[in-house]
Amino acid sequence: GEAFYLSQVKRGYRPKPGRPERPLLDRLSLHAASVRLPRFEGGEDLTIEAPLPADLDRTLRQLRRWAPR
């Protein structure tokens, strides 16, 4: 799908009257927590780390809370 909504996982979800549901995530949900690149000429590998973006972190927290186990 193009977006992921809380109503897709939360049983009994009720939207606020008169307001459309906003997506939890409206983009591709790929994220690399870290990437390691080899250094040439005998140097150490370069490791780049990145925290989860806020929207992806929020989505994962909702999935842990509401998704069936």
Side-chain angles (χ1 to χ4, degrees):
E2 294 196 12
F4 181 72
Y5 295 89
L6 183 57
S7 61
Q8 292 175 271
V9 291
K10 184 179 179 183
R11 193 175 283 169
Y13 174 83
R14 290 181 298 194
K16 294 182 180 178
R19 291 175 42 188
E21 181 181 6
R22 290 178 36 198
L24 288 172
L25 194 63
D26 61 356
R27 62 177 181 82
L28 191 60
S29 60
L30 295 176
H31 176 73
S34 67
V35 176
R36 187 169 35 148
L37 304 170
R39 284 273 172 104
F40 297 103
E41 309 205 9
E44 290 186 29
D45 290 351
L46 174 65
T47 300
I48 302 168
E49 296 181 354
L52 283 175
D55 61 345
L56 186 53
D57 184 50
R58 226 179 0 260
T59 300
L60 291 172
R61 280 188 279 123
Q62 291 297 333
L63 282 171
R64 288 183 193 109
R65 183 175 180 188
W66 299 108
R69 295 172 197 227

